[in-house]
Amino acid sequence: MSAFLTYLLNGLAVGCAIALIASGLVVIHRVTGVVNFAQGTFAVVAGLCMSSLLGMGLPHGLSEVAAVLVAALAGLLTGLAAIGRRGTTALSALIITLGVGVLAYAVEIVLWGDQPRSAPGLAGSVIVAGARIQTQHLLVIGVTAATFVLLALFFGRTYLGKALTACASNPYAARVVGIDTRLMGLLAFALGGLLGGLAGVLVTPLRPISFDTDVTLIVNGFAAAVFGALTRPVITLAGALLLGVAETMAAGYGYGSHQLEIALGLMIVVMIVQAGRRPAVTQEST
């Protein structure tokens, strides 16, 4: 029973990291209609930057903040490439984000090489209900919970957040009242980069990260985002937690090599279910 609780708590932490990646996808898609397949790259960039900054002697705290800001800048630059030109279709922007991800491979290899890197995090572990969980895992859970609360306050209480929400709800009406939807889209990409970077600095102390780690990150993040139909952050969070627990349970009970297949399988099942429900919804609305 203690082993089960340990896997459950660790799975929740893994799910929280996935939720940060997925929430970036949701924010960008809601505002721009673009699926950003470079989302995992932001986490990799932040993790590698943090590792380098710590290696140069910069203290914890400053290293993590600087790495997250670099990821936010990477998100903004990705947004400029994807939607910076007016009239760019969502499909074209999606293809551009794929190209950005491939380009990032080359840049990361030049700057950091092709060997995995890690970074020290919070040391030690604690006992919760008889189950042992690493302190870093608790940090991941706490930071993710605080981030989702702050996101809810940002989108519900601030003018900028409401402007982003307006663009997500009705871009035409947003333009009519004077909101620059292109600028809001760029801000959404920057916010997506920040969320991805936050996931990167939290995960890097737990598992080594390299230039190609973004594949696993984007598959898991996209699976969770699909669970929430790429529009509902709370359901996306629930999907990420479910996915994290399922993968950790699989790894704990000897099926660790099938973690990626679990994410892909869950994503396919959810997409099939959602596709089967769409005709009924359309018919009811007509």
Side-chain angles (χ1 to χ4, degrees), residues 117-144:
R117 290 184 172 221
S118 189
L122 292 181
S125 60
V126 297
I127 305 297
V128 179
R132 184 175 295 276
I133 180 172
Q134 294 182 44
T135 310
Q136 183 70 23
H137 278 148
L138 290 177
L139 177 65
V140 173
I141 294 173
V143 170
T144 301

Side-chain angles (χ1 to χ4, degrees), residues 27-232:
V27 167
I28 292 171
H29 183 267
R30 286 184 65 187
V31 177
T32 67
V34 176
V35 178
N36 175 33
F37 280 113
Q39 187 67 26
T41 300
F42 305 150
V44 172
V45 167
L48 293 174
C49 282
M50 182 185 70
S51 176
S52 295
L53 292 173
L54 289 172
M56 290 162 42
L58 201 67
H60 277 291
L62 288 178
S63 296
E64 284 82 355
V65 170
V68 171
L69 291 178
V70 170
L73 177 60
L76 178 60
L77 294 176
T78 302
L80 285 170
I83 63 169
R85 238 181 117 184
R86 295 190 184 276
T88 304
T89 64
L91 179 59
S92 298
L94 182 152
I95 295 172
I96 290 171
T97 64
L98 285 171
V100 169
V102 174
L103 176 62
Y105 275 17
V107 175
E108 289 158 2
I109 291 174
V110 169
L111 294 178
W112 291 285
D114 59 355
Q115 296 302 310
R117 290 184 172 221
S118 189
L122 292 181
S125 60
V126 297
I127 305 297
V128 179
R132 184 175 295 276
I133 180 172
Q134 294 182 44
T135 310
Q136 183 70 23
H137 278 148
L138 290 177
L139 177 65
V140 173
I141 294 173
V143 170
T144 301
T147 299
F148 271 82
V149 170
L150 290 174
L151 284 175
L153 293 174
F154 171 71
F155 283 108
R157 301 288 181 87
T158 68
Y159 174 79
L160 183 57
K162 291 178 180 179
L164 287 167
T165 302
C167 293
S169 302
N170 193 326
Y172 176 76
R175 286 193 294 269
V176 168
V177 298
I179 298 175
D180 189 338
T181 55
R182 177 172 165 271
L183 177 59
M184 293 299 106
L186 294 176
L187 290 175
F189 266 93
L191 181 56
L194 187 146
L195 291 168
L198 189 58
V201 299
L202 290 172
V203 167
T204 301
L206 296 172
R207 59 182 66 179
I209 198 165
S210 64
F211 71 95
D212 58 351
T213 305
D214 70 306
V215 175
T216 303
L217 294 174
I218 189 60
V219 169
N220 283 300
F222 187 62
V226 166
F227 196 83
L230 286 167
T231 56
R232 292 171 287 183

